[in-house]
């Protein structure tokens, strides 16, 4: 049982975690903090949090677990503000989509308290954002990646792992470097592709006609281009090197595809599409 | 009422059209023809067609409307085989995703009968293929683009338009050039992006880990990479110039995105993502 849970940033992820733990009766009190008073009010009205605090330190004081669910660009500032109220008991964890960058900041800012900072990333979410979109079952059967460092306290890690499993998720651990490299391709690159496609269409001479002709393929391919822009700016900046490597690789592969079409190389196209279809079909079966 | 409808290629699209017209009681007899005896048998067993013919000319003889629903690469051959049975009454239409190429072939092959060839393209479908995936309501509220030429007989055009509207679709007409240019961006490019992403992952050192970490964003962005490989090879070859133009534009835009990330230009990233999100949100609202 968590006596006091503090959520910093009560949006889609923070709100869903609060709902899931409440539904599991695993938490006594949930306190929220965030930049927008309107959002906090809404979170209270929706019953997602018990109360909101307008002071970050008041929100976090004597918490068992403080969950940072803000865009990652805001985390250094939040960690700095948190530090004075941290003690030998409070566990801090985050849900950021990039881990290396957040860990560096946390190690630098938290000092000795870094041992009770448990870096985490739930692979869940939709293109929506905000507490109104939060769902108690968002993490059901979803994966949460924890990336503990050598200093990470094993009891703190176990407690965060238990929290996510009670919220319905499966937890795995890996290094932050591995996480950031893999997510650059599995998540960050697809977001770049979607944003870039929509932005190309917006600036296209045929913009209206293209949007009118947008069928299921365009819709699905670009769904995640409706994701929060600040969150994704922060991810790009925080995971810059791994993301750039993935984007450059993609660009190279896309150039090869262009070359095959230029040459009218039907055999190469068929091979590429067949290989991709095979793998994509197997992903469908897995789900 | 259509007395005899012939479907050449009884797959997702051809099968769905047959189901929709049957449900609307707009057709007396539906005859199917295709390369695979197994598929034709399945189409008969499912009640999608009344009977299958193993001869294309027998299938098409005395039909009111012959619908070409095969991959576009097979259309020249089919049109050539069809020609001997065509008369002043039989209307031929197609559902190909590229129009300029099919029209050139049809004009060349059909000669005087080209006036009763009505080029069409329903903007419907899923990543699935085959008659088992066909649905009577696949075209409900979907758009069908008709691209008549100056020679096209207006009665033939009206009859094909009526057929699609009875099947639940909204019809629009535009030039083949406009169709191919717009679809290159709204449909063909997204398919290339999805195929290329999955194929990059297949060949990636972290292949297994990436697939295990593939969440909703990856899944949606790549759904259409499960599309039929032959169909998409044919589309690439048939719409080569317009598709290449769209792909080169995308590559240029993607390079600009890479450059913004290299420079750590958060303002440019935020602007691009915000603009794309705004448009994508409006597409969500429209649907």
């Amino acid at each position: 049982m968590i006596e006091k849970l503090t959520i910093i940033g009560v949006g889609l992820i923070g709100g869903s975690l609060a709902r899931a733990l409440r539904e599991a009766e695993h938490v006594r009190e949930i306190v929220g903090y965030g930049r927008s008073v309107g959002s906090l009010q809404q979170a209270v009205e929706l019953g997602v949090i018990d109360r909101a605090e307008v002071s970050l330190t008041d929100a976090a004081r004597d918490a068992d677990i403080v969950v940072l669910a803000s865009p990652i660009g805001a985390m250094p500032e939040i960690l700095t503000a948190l530090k004075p109220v941290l003690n030998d008991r409070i566990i801090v964890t985050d849900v950021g989509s990039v881990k290396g960058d957040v860990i560096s900041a946390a190690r630098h800012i938290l000092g000795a308290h870094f041992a009770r900072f448990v870096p985490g990333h739930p692979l869940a979410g939709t293109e929506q954002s905000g507490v109104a979109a939060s769902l108690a079952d968002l993490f059901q059967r979803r994966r949460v990646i924890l990336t503990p460092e050598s200093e990470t306290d094993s009891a703190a890690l176990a407690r965060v792992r238990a929290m996510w499993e009670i919220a319905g998720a499966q937890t795995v651990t890996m290094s932050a470097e591995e996480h950031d490299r893999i997510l650059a391709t599995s998540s960050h690159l697809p977001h770049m592709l979607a944003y870039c496609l929509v932005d190309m269409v917006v600036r296209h001479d045929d913009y209206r006609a293209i949007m009118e002709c947008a069928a299921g393929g365009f819709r699905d391919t670009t769904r995640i281009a409706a994701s929060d822009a600040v969150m994704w700016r922060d991810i790009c900046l925080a995971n810059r090197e791994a993301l750039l490597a993935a984007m450059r690789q993609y660009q190279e592969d896309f150039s090869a595809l262009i070359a095959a079409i230029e040459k009218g190389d039907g055999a190469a196209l068929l091979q590429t599409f067949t290989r991709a279809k095979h793998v994509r079909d197997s992903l469908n079966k897995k789900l």
Side-chain angles (χ1 to χ4, degrees), chain A:
Chain A
M1 175 65 82
I2 300 168
E3 291 298 323
K4 178 179 174 182
L5 176 74
T6 299
I7 310 267
I8 311 289
V10 192
L12 173 66
I13 299 294
S16 295
L17 179 60
R19 284 185 193 269
L21 295 174
R22 160 116 339 129
E23 207 168 275
E25 298 185 356
H26 185 66
V27 60
R28 198 89 62 193
E29 184 184 32
I30 307 178
V31 178
Y33 172 82
R35 279 174 322 166
S36 152
V37 171
S39 295
L40 288 172
Q41 231 164 6
Q42 196 181 12
V44 172
E45 280 161 17
L46 291 169
V48 172
I49 57 176
D50 295 302
R51 59 192 174 83
E53 289 278 3
V54 292
S55 146
L56 182 87
T57 48
D58 288 347
R61 187 167 288 120
D62 302 322
D64 297 83
I65 302 181
V66 177
V67 179
L68 310 190
S70 66
I72 50 183
M75 286 188 188
E77 198 185 322
I78 292 168
L79 288 164
T80 304
L82 265 182
K83 195 185 176 189
V85 293
L86 296 184
N87 57 30
D88 290 352
R89 223 180 52 82
I90 299 178
I91 295 167
V92 181
T93 187
D94 82 306
V95 302
S97 302
V98 181
K99 301 270 52 83
D101 196 73
V102 172
I103 288 169
S104 296
R107 181 180 275 118
H108 177 71
I109 294 164
L110 298 181
H113 293 302
F114 178 66
R116 281 177 307 285
F117 176 75
V118 180
H121 178 209
L123 303 187
T126 71
E127 75 284 9
Q128 290 170 26
S129 40
V131 68
S134 64
L135 300 165
D137 65 355
L138 187 70
F139 306 111
Q140 287 295 327
R141 291 173 309 280
R142 305 307 288 268
R143 188 173 285 233
V144 173
I145 301 175
L146 301 174
T147 62
E149 295 284 294
S150 56
E151 303 96 313
T152 309
D153 179 77
S154 59
L157 174 61
R159 195 148 190 213
V160 171
R161 182 187 280 131
M163 174 186 80
W164 282 112
E165 288 175 356
I166 286 160
Q170 296 160 346
T171 60
V172 291
T173 59
M174 60 177 72
S175 73
E177 185 277 332
E178 190 183 359
H179 170 278
D180 290 354
R181 192 181 70 237
I182 289 167
L183 271 285
T185 298
S186 70
S187 168
H188 307 169
L189 173 61
H191 279 81
M192 294 307 105
L193 294 172
Y195 275 129
C196 188
L197 176 56
V198 175
D199 195 52
M200 169 178 157
V201 169
V202 176
R203 292 175 293 109
H204 203 289
D205 290 343
D206 297 317
Y207 168 55
R208 294 179 72 88
I210 291 169
M211 292 298 276
E212 276 167 13
C213 290
F218 184 86
R219 278 209 310 276
D220 283 4
T221 309
T222 61
R223 179 184 61 81
I224 53 179
S227 301
D228 185 72
V230 169
M231 175 178 161
W232 281 96
R233 176 202 60 192
D234 288 358
I235 290 171
C236 289
L237 299 177
N239 201 25
R240 183 154 67 168
E241 291 314 318
L243 176 56
L244 283 172
M247 290 174 82
R248 288 184 192 121
Q249 180 63 56
Y250 187 88
Q251 211 178 24
E252 205 175 285
D253 292 359
F254 199 64
S255 296
L257 190 54
I258 288 176
I261 296 172
E262 277 169 346
K263 279 185 286 187
D265 187 348
L269 295 173
L270 190 59
Q271 187 183 36
T272 300
F273 299 164
T274 302
R275 189 165 51 195
K277 174 178 171 51
H278 180 74
V279 169
R280 192 56 186 75
D281 280 341
S282 71
L283 185 61
N284 271 347
K285 275 178 205 125
K286 214 181 76 181
L287 298 167

